[in-house]
Amino acid sequence: MNGLVIIGAGGLARETAQAVRDAGRLKLLGHLDDNPALHGTEVDGVPVLGGCDLVHELPDAQAVVCVGSPRDYAARARLVRRLALPEGRYATVVHPTAAVSATSRIGPGSVLLAHCVLTAAVRVGAHVAVMPHVVLTHDDEVADFATIASGVRLGGSARLERGVYVGAGALLREGLAIGAWSLIGMGSTVLHDVPPGEVWAGNPARRLRAAAAPVLDELNEQLGGPVS
C-alpha cells in the first residue's frame, strides 16, 4: 500500500492525522470529506483531496474512517458500509505513546490515540475510536464501531457491544456489558449492564431515554427489524 488517506476532516480525523505524523510509519496523503467547501483546502496543514468516494480512485492507498460524534455516532458504520472497501484496505493507527500489551489485539480501521493503555488480553474490533488516556484492562472486549472518549476507564472483562459510545471520563465496573449502539454520558459511573439502543448517564448511571433516531436505525439494520 502506498500512503494513507483519512476519511473525514473533523476533530477525530485531525487527531488521527497528528497520530500518524507522530508515529512516522505511514505517509499521510490527505483527508477525504464530503463537504465540498473543504475541497482544495488544508486542515492543520493536511490537504483535503476531495469527497469520500475518491478513495476508490486511490487503490494503492490505505484508509481509515474518522467520522462521528455523540449526536450521530453511527455515522462511521454507515460510511464504511457505503464505501464497501475490502478489509485489507484499512489501516490501524496507534499513537506511539499508546501502551498495547503483546496479548491484546486491534482490528483494521481502528485508531488508538495518545497515552491509551491496553493491559492484558484486550480485544478491540474494527473501526473503533479510542481517545487519549483511555484504560482498557484485562480481558475487555470492544466490538466494531465503538467510540471511547478521553479518560474512560473500563474494569476487567467488560464488554462494549457494536457501536457503543462511552463519553469522556466515564467509569465502567468490571464484568459489565453495554448493549449495541447505547451511549454512556460523560463522567458517568456504570454499575449495571446497559441494554441496546439506550442513553444512560449519572453517578450511578441510569437510563435517560432511547438513543437518537440515526443510531436506532443502525441498530435496526444490525438486528434486522425495528427496536421498540
Side-chain angles (χ1 to χ4, degrees), residues 42-131:
E42 291 188 349
V43 177
D44 298 337
V46 180
V48 181
L49 304 173
C52 298
D53 292 306
L54 184 62
V55 70
H56 297 294
E57 300 177 31
L58 302 167
D60 294 328
Q62 288 188 284
V64 62
V65 177
C66 296
V67 301
S69 73
R71 293 177 298 279
D72 182 8
Y73 49 97
R76 192 157 64 251
R78 291 198 306 273
L79 187 51
V80 167
R81 189 164 56 246
R82 173 186 131 194
L83 296 176
L85 295 175
E87 183 179 280
R89 288 289 306 276
Y90 286 109
T92 300
V93 176
V94 178
H95 194 277
T97 63
V100 180
S101 68
T103 56
S104 295
R105 298 290 180 267
I106 306 167
S110 290
V111 174
L112 273 64
L113 295 179
H115 304 291
C116 294
V117 177
L118 280 61
T119 62
V122 176
R123 298 291 181 266
V124 174
H127 308 290
V128 173
V130 183
M131 308 301 182

Side-chain angles (χ1 to χ4, degrees), residues 170-173 176 178 184 188-194 200 202 204-205:
L171 304 175
L172 276 67
R173 192 176 70 182
L176 290 182
I178 309 300
I184 304 301
S188 297
T189 301
V190 186
L191 302 179
H192 304 285
D193 291 350
V194 173
W200 283 48

Side-chain angles (χ1 to χ4, degrees), residues 216-228:
L216 290 181
D217 289 346
E218 193 63 35
L219 181 57
N220 293 342
E221 176 78 20
Q222 177 182 332
L223 299 178
V227 176
S228 58

